[in-house]
Amino acid sequence: MSLSISLTINGDARTIVLEDPRVTLLDLLRERLQLTGTKKGCDRGQCGACTVLVDGRRINSCLTLAMTVDGAHVTTIEGLATGDELHPVQAAFLECDGLQCGYCTPGQIMSAVGLIAEGQAAGDPERVRELMSGNICRCGAYKGITEAVLVAIEKDATTSKERDAA
C-alpha cells in the first residue's frame, strides 16, 4: 500500500510517496531525502541524536512515523544556516566548544533551537541542562553545550531588544 504525503522540509515543499506506512521520519530524511545531518543513534528515542523541529517543536524523528507529519514544516540541521552564515546556535556551539566527536551535535543544536523558541530556559544553566537532558553526548561535552545554549539565549534576547527598539 503506498501513501502520498506533503511536507515542507527546510523551506522546500515536497510530495513524497511512501511505499511502507511504517517508515519513520528519520529514515525518510536520511535514506530517501539524503539529509544525513540528522543522526540515527539509539533508534529508541533515548539519545536525541535524531532531533528535528516539526512545526517549530523539537521531536525525536526516530519515534515519529513519516505519515503522521503530513502537511508539517520540518527543519533539520541542514536547514538552519543561511548560505555561509551559521545560525546563531551553530555559531555559539563553535564559540563555546560545545562538541567533541560531533555525532550528537546536530541533535543537540536542533534541541537548543527548539528550547530557545519555547522560551523556558531564561538563561538559567540548571534549567538548560534539564531541558536538554533528552540529548546524550557520549563524549561529555555538556559544559560547552550548556554554555553554547546560554550564549545563544543571550544573543537572541539582545537581538530581540534591538528589533523592538528599531
Side-chain angles (χ1 to χ4, degrees), residues 91-121:
F93 266 69
L94 287 175
E95 176 185 329
C96 298
D97 199 23
L99 58 128
Q100 285 186 26
C101 81
Y103 194 83
C104 73
T105 305
Q108 297 278 0
I109 289 172
M110 295 309 295
S111 188
V113 169
L115 174 153
I116 292 167
E118 291 163 11
Q120 296 182 41

Side-chain angles (χ1 to χ4, degrees), residues 116 151-164:
I116 292 167
V151 164
I153 289 170
E154 180 61 34
K155 286 183 180 178
D156 184 60
T158 302
T159 303
S160 294
K161 287 178 189 173
E162 289 170 357
R163 272 193 307 254
D164 292 344

Side-chain angles (χ1 to χ4, degrees), residues 43-81:
D43 216 18
R44 293 188 169 124
Q46 296 174 335
C47 73
C50 67
T51 304
V52 298
L53 301 178
V54 174
D55 293 332
R57 287 185 41 243
R58 50 193 172 143
I59 64 151
N60 290 329
S61 61
C62 72
L63 296 179
T64 305
L65 292 176
M67 68 179 201
T68 65
V69 295
D70 185 26
H73 287 77
V74 178
T75 306
T76 69
I77 192 73
E78 291 91 347
L80 286 185

